[in-house]
Amino acid sequence: MIRRLQQLEKAASALEPAAGKRKKTRDKVIAYGEEFLTGIESLKAYDYTADKGVGLLDSPVSEQGLDIEQVLDLLKSNVDTHGLNPASGGYLGFIPGGGIYYSALGDYLADVTNRLAALFFGSPGAVRMENMMISWLAGILGFPATAAGNLTSGGSIANLIAVVTARDAKGIGSKKVPVSVIYLTQQTHHSVQKAIRIAGLSECILRYVPMDSQYRMNAGELESAIRSDKKNGFNPFLVVASAGTTDTGAVDPLEKIGEIAAAEGLWFHADAAYGGFFILTEEGKIKLAGIEKADSVSIDPHKGMFLPYGLGAVVVKDMNSLRNSHYYLASYLQDAQGTNEEISPSDLSPELTKHFRGLRMWLPLKLLGTKPFVAALEEKLLLAKYFHREIVKLGFESACEPDLSVVTYRWIPKTGNPDDFNKRLAEEVVKDGRVFISSTVLDGKVTLRLAILSFRTHLKTIRLTLEILREKVELLEG
Ligand SMILES: *Cc1c(COP(=O)(O)O)cnc(C)c1O
């Protein structure tokens, strides 16, 4: 047995590379990252290749490892050269983010030290750090210091946690589900509907509240819908407002929705996954006024703080509601109890063991302070205004001034179907690849959208986009 143990120890020893081997591997990895970053300006925002990285499949997992050069080659030729490049400043589709470098270093340290950020007992420091990030978010949202929350993998899980918390706080057991009502709009992000289904609420009544001409929830319509539902014996319990819709960047009237929700006894969830961080700017504070009335808010650092993918957050005003929905005691965790100086993330989310996400947010905030983030966010708002002004000058139709940093616009061609034309226009821009834009359907019309949220998007990116759009319209108009 001892001999076998010694053999196995030796065979497994590659799992712990020595300092020299670590350095060699690390240097190659760092060099790869540097090549990517120094070339980012010339990399396409979208790269269409016919093979779509299928070559990766020719190198299956095997008993023997490869060396780092071979592995990085596989990565470069099969992963990092195909599809979207969300790290590019030219990535102006869906909702950008970017990927702040210091976050990557935070992830590196979190992975090397592998702290157990799930439990205060496991890593008091890591838990304090994550709770500190939540308190900072609570502070910028105007929530009281007693608020709690969780750093999630993204906005979808943040919305799920909020919906589950609202369900339990309002006592929506299975018998109540069919008579209970949730209010939202056609512009609510689909992750909310997904959360509703996962939370066992798909048999609730979903009321899609009419919107104004700028795709914001009509608060008057919300109020009358709640009243009429109550009169008809239904149980209104949750309103989901968008603080920046994905499609158009519209902000629902949060102040009024907050007042109505409070008066009618509904849980008010604000989905600020995209728009929340604009509250750090002067203009954003005005646009997002009323968000402090929400019972819960989703806000995505991997969007508005430009962090790499993998960080959303939910903040809930009443910690007990959040805890009641997520707390569990297990006998194998009995040694981890007893100390409650700080609440543990695992008591506030579906997760137990998890990535120490706080470090990827804390490190850039500590190194940079908030100032450059605020400046970048203000720049995005201004770039959206600039793009809107210029696109109208070029002859595009654009129904409304942007609320935040998403601009919607479409070209009306001299002849032919405008929907087909705008689809083709988007395709031409995407094929070109220097910038990436996406399209949507608003009021049944194919509409182009420009979402400005990468910290790498600047005036020259927007000027280039305008030039490409003009070029492609000319091409298509013949
Ligand atoms: C992006 C987004 C989500 C979903 O967030 P993920 O981080 O992609 O899971 C939810 N709501 C809104 C408004 C969003 O923009």
Side-chain angles (χ1 to χ4, degrees), residues 96-107:
I100 296 263
Y101 184 67
Y102 295 133
S103 247
L105 298 182
D107 274 345

Side-chain angles (χ1 to χ4, degrees), residues 300-368:
D300 267 7
H302 68 198
K303 287 178 179 169
M305 265 186 77
F306 324 114
L307 302 193
Y309 291 149
L311 197 67
V314 60
V315 186
V316 179
K317 202 171 263 170
D318 174 30
M319 185 218 278
N320 286 328
S321 299
L322 180 60
R323 191 173 179 276
N324 286 343
S325 292
H326 297 94
Y327 177 77
Y328 252 97
L329 198 58
S331 50
Y332 43 79
L333 286 178
Q334 63 180 358
D335 306 329
Q337 306 303 319
T339 164
N340 52 8
E341 244 174 278
E342 292 263 349
I343 188 136
S344 294
S346 63
D347 292 339
L348 305 175
S349 100
E351 294 180 304
L352 179 56
T353 312
K354 66 178 201 100
H355 180 57
F356 175 18
R357 300 184 184 108
L359 195 45
R360 70 202 321 270
M361 178 171 173
W362 181 83
L363 192 71
L365 273 174
K366 293 307 287 177
L367 287 173
L368 302 169

Side-chain angles (χ1 to χ4, degrees), residues 340-413:
N340 52 8
E341 244 174 278
E342 292 263 349
I343 188 136
S344 294
S346 63
D347 292 339
L348 305 175
S349 100
E351 294 180 304
L352 179 56
T353 312
K354 66 178 201 100
H355 180 57
F356 175 18
R357 300 184 184 108
L359 195 45
R360 70 202 321 270
M361 178 171 173
W362 181 83
L363 192 71
L365 273 174
K366 293 307 287 177
L367 287 173
L368 302 169
T370 56
K371 247 183 161 169
F373 290 97
V374 180
L377 287 161
E378 196 181 326
E379 181 196 20
K380 304 312 138 197
L381 293 174
L382 207 54
L383 284 173
K385 288 196 178 74
Y386 172 79
F387 179 78
H388 179 259
R389 192 186 79 190
E390 296 300 312
I391 203 85
V392 170
K393 273 195 214 161
L394 282 180
F396 280 82
E397 199 181 81
S398 177
C400 42
E401 276 266 331
D403 251 1
L404 296 172
S405 71
V406 180
V407 184
T408 55
Y409 56 101
R410 70 199 299 259
W411 184 265
I412 309 298

Side-chain angles (χ1 to χ4, degrees), residues 404-468:
L404 296 172
S405 71
V406 180
V407 184
T408 55
Y409 56 101
R410 70 199 299 259
W411 184 265
I412 309 298
K414 288 191 214 96
T415 55
N417 182 322
D419 284 352
D420 294 341
F421 186 95
N422 284 284
K423 263 190 211 152
R424 268 167 41 224
L425 179 55
E427 278 163 22
E428 285 296 329
V429 175
V430 169
K431 220 160 61 184
D432 176 281
R434 282 175 289 170
V435 300
F436 176 80
I437 61 167
S438 58
S439 70
T440 185
V441 177
L442 289 172
D443 296 326
K445 296 178 197 158
V446 173
T447 304
L448 305 180
R449 50 191 292 292
L450 197 83
I452 306 174
L453 201 63
S454 167
F455 67 105
R456 293 191 175 112
T457 302
H458 304 297
L459 182 58
K460 69 169 188 297
T461 333
I462 300 305
R463 286 193 165 141
L464 174 67
T465 308
L466 288 160
E467 198 184 302
I468 293 170

